[in-house]
Amino acid sequence: MSPESRRSFVRELALQLPFLLWLILLWMLLWQQFTPLSLVSGLLVAVFVTRVFRLPTVELVGRVNVWYAFLCVVQFLWAVLAGALSVTAQVFDFRRLPGAAIVEVPLRYADDIIMTHVSVASSLIPGSLVVETDRDRRIVYVHVIGVRGASDVEAVRAEVLNWERRIVRALGTPAQYRALKTDEAGARR
């Protein structure tokens, strides 16, 4: 094995290590056993899964802003509660049927990680569901209930873009964070 291929192998292993550890932990939680045997079997399953179901390696930047991550989680929990109450109100409002729409939302700062987080956050809030993503054009299509007009569609689009900004503040790369700050400074002028 040449030194260059060895470096490549070590680099790939280092990038896959968090995922392998997560799969091992998931395996141990699934079987509710924290024994050496479940650790070894979890490692074998994790290696099998990562080799058979190959996915492109995603580099994690390792940048987590703890304060913005905390704010994002709190705002997410509030949005889940508000969404649940909104859906409940729509279900019990027998006077009118709730409108529905599929809203196209072009993301601004999205790479694969940010796009995934935005999609998951948008889907977990009651009343909305991401039905498709266009990775190449960085577009998320969100199905939303309770839409009555164009202003509601714009509000949904603005809310998804707010989630993107929150997630970039919490987890984005330094370049994404700088672009967000530049855009915010330009919007204030």
Side-chain angles (χ1 to χ4, degrees):
M1 184 179 266
S2 71
E4 190 169 305
S5 64
R6 186 177 300 130
R7 265 187 255 127
S8 172
F9 174 76
V10 170
R11 183 176 184 276
E12 184 178 334
L13 181 64
L15 289 173
Q16 291 287 332
L17 191 60
F19 184 59
L20 286 171
L21 293 175
W22 169 248
L23 286 175
I24 293 168
L25 177 66
L26 192 63
W27 181 259
M28 294 170 86
L29 288 171
L30 177 69
W31 292 105
Q32 298 177 358
Q33 293 181 0
F34 296 95
T35 63
L37 179 61
S38 66
L39 177 73
V40 171
S41 63
L43 177 64
L44 292 174
V45 169
V47 169
F48 175 76
V49 165
T50 56
R51 293 296 162 220
V52 171
F53 304 108
R54 288 287 293 174
L55 293 173
T57 302
V58 176
E59 285 193 53
L60 301 175
V61 293
R63 180 195 144 325
V64 176
N65 185 313
V66 177
W67 174 247
Y68 283 124
F70 173 75
L71 285 178
C72 188
V73 168
V74 169
Q75 290 167 333
F76 174 75
L77 293 173
W78 179 255
V80 168
L81 177 65
L85 294 174
S86 173
V87 169
T88 302
Q90 291 173 28
V91 166
F92 289 112
D93 186 2
F94 298 114
R95 295 171 290 165
R96 66 180 83 131
L97 292 174
I102 295 180
V103 181
E104 176 185 75
V105 183
L107 300 178
R108 296 185 177 124
Y109 313 102
D111 60 4
D112 290 345
I113 296 285
I114 299 296
M115 188 177 225
T116 302
H117 284 299
V118 170
S119 298
V120 169
S122 299
S123 290
L124 289 176
I125 296 171
S128 64
L129 177 71
V130 172
V131 292
E132 187 175 348
T133 59
D134 185 342
R135 180 180 176 198
D136 296 329
R137 297 186 311 154
R138 300 186 316 189
I139 295 176
V140 177
Y141 296 92
V142 184
H143 180 274
V144 186
I145 62 172
V147 175
R148 293 201 173 93
S151 63
D152 291 338
V153 169
E154 288 306 316
V156 167
R157 190 172 285 126
E159 188 57 31
V160 172
L161 291 174
N162 279 337
W163 281 113
E164 180 187 29
R165 284 191 290 277
R166 290 173 187 141
I167 291 167
V168 166
R169 280 188 199 104
L171 305 171
T173 64
Q176 289 169 332
Y177 187 71
R178 281 191 301 274
L180 173 66
K181 285 297 186 188
T182 303
D183 289 349
E184 287 175 345
R188 283 187 215 131
R189 290 184 212 162

